[in-house]
Amino acid sequence: MKIVLLGAPGAGKGTQAKKLIDKYGIPQISTGDILRQAVADQTQLGKEAKSYMDSGGLVPDSVVIGLVKERLSQADCKKGFILDGFPRNTAQAETLDGVLASVGMPLEVALSVDVDFDVLLKRLTGRRTCKSKDCGQMYNVYFSASKKDGVCDKCGTELYQRDDDKEETIKKRLDVYKAQTEPLIDYYTKKGILKRVEGVGDINEIFNKICSILK
Ligand code: AP5
Ligand code: MG
């Protein structure tokens, strides 16, 4: 299964990707997670990406495309993958098509998780994420809080709030989504692989709808 998850910031791409990993045994490739890890590790990539991320803008295509190509070449992607947060604009989508065509693994589905913008602000300001690289479980103080405040239910690691989940940065991210990423809905519609799912409601019910779409 070769899937791209589309959707605005806070639509639930990461939340659903984690569940898809368990069900299909294929890896999630989240460019946001890779970039945040690089920022935390203070690598050259992280230093380069940080200011773009903090402002809510996109990291340059050259940087992100290189990361994704490298990740897709790893052995665990042979059976398939879930791209989360990539592509983010038409140039990235065209490059991805080229890379996948060259290895004979075209995309099968681009799945858009649709949520109204007024819901997204609350989701993003309330988001808390497990600090453990191996877990990364997401919670929400308004909708799905951890049992113990600030601690992951799954692995007991501390939870953190993302630097870009501040109200003014969220607004910029939503503007960038509208201007640059939303046009990909048309892009994949024209390719005949777009599917859509309503991303509001119970997380497990949304996941069940996604599984029926992917069948
Ligand atoms: P990235 O990490 O990709 O962030 P994003 O697209 O803004 O999306 P989010 O991760 O914020 O939302 P999500 O859809 O994963 O929602 P989640 O499941 O967490 O990118 C961050 C930055 O990195 C970008 O701004 C950019 O600078 C850079 N970047 C990344 N990729 C790039 C690229 N390709 N090119 C250039 N730059 C790039 O859910 C959100 C919250 O809602 C959670 O608290 C969750 O628990 C809750 N929730 C989920 N589902 C539900 C539900 N059904 N009901 C109630 N609550 C829910
Ligand atoms: Mg995410």
Side-chain angles (χ1 to χ4, degrees):
M1 184 94 56
K2 290 116 196 155
I3 316 169
V4 160
L5 288 181
L6 293 173
K13 303 180 294 294
T15 302
Q16 297 298 335
K18 296 259 179 288
K19 297 174 82 66
L20 289 167
I21 299 174
D22 294 341
K23 178 158 172 111
Y24 291 101
I26 51 175
Q28 169 196 20
I29 304 176
S30 160
T31 40
D33 286 352
I34 297 171
L35 292 167
R36 273 184 294 283
Q37 190 60 50
V39 171
D41 295 342
Q42 299 187 329
T43 62
Q44 189 52 40
L45 166 69
K47 286 178 193 155
E48 206 178 321
K50 188 173 181 345
S51 60
Y52 297 101
M53 297 173 80
D54 286 349
S55 73
L58 294 184
V59 174
D61 290 348
S62 55
V63 174
V64 184
I65 287 170
L67 282 179
V68 172
K69 274 189 187 165
E70 206 275 316
R71 185 64 187 85
L72 283 171
S73 71
Q74 291 173 16
D76 62 339
C77 295
K78 291 276 179 292
K79 278 199 310 187
F81 47 79
I82 308 151
L83 278 165
D84 160 11
F86 183 96
R88 254 335 207 259
N89 57 31
T90 310
Q92 292 182 11
E94 286 169 348
T95 306
L96 177 67
D97 284 344
V99 170
L100 294 177
S102 72
V103 291
M105 293 205 314
L107 273 183
E108 288 158 300
V109 181
L111 178 71
S112 173
V113 183
D114 299 331
V115 177
D116 279 345
F117 272 31
D118 50 355
V119 178
L120 298 173
L121 190 63
K122 201 163 179 187
R123 280 200 188 176
L124 291 169
T125 50
R127 170 166 52 195
R128 300 293 181 272
T129 308
C130 174
K131 267 190 178 169
S132 159
K133 273 194 247 185
D134 299 325
C135 177
Q137 180 65 35
M138 243 97 58
Y139 298 89
N140 196 289
V141 296
Y142 304 113
F143 305 112
S144 51
S146 58
K147 290 194 183 83
K148 192 172 165 204
D149 196 27
V151 179
C152 180
D153 292 346
K154 272 190 161 174
C155 72
T157 305
E158 194 187 339
L159 305 181
Y160 77 100
Q161 184 167 20
R162 268 170 52 174
D163 287 341
D164 60 351
D165 280 346
K166 297 186 196 93
E167 205 164 320
E168 64 278 13
T169 318
I170 293 171
K171 289 195 171 121
K172 172 77 192 296
R173 286 162 59 205
L174 293 174
D175 287 346
V176 169
Y177 172 79
K178 269 237 163 277
Q180 300 202 42
T181 312
E182 208 170 52
L184 294 182
I185 304 259
D186 265 359
Y187 180 91
Y188 287 117
T189 303
K190 285 184 185 135
K191 294 207 171 280
I193 59 166
L194 186 84
K195 304 277 180 198
R196 305 189 83 143
V197 68
E198 169 73 40
V200 180
D202 179 73
I203 289 172
N204 288 320
E205 282 172 17
I206 297 167
F207 180 65
N208 290 339
K209 283 192 266 176
I210 291 178
C211 293
S212 326
I213 290 170
L214 296 178
K215 249 188 205 158

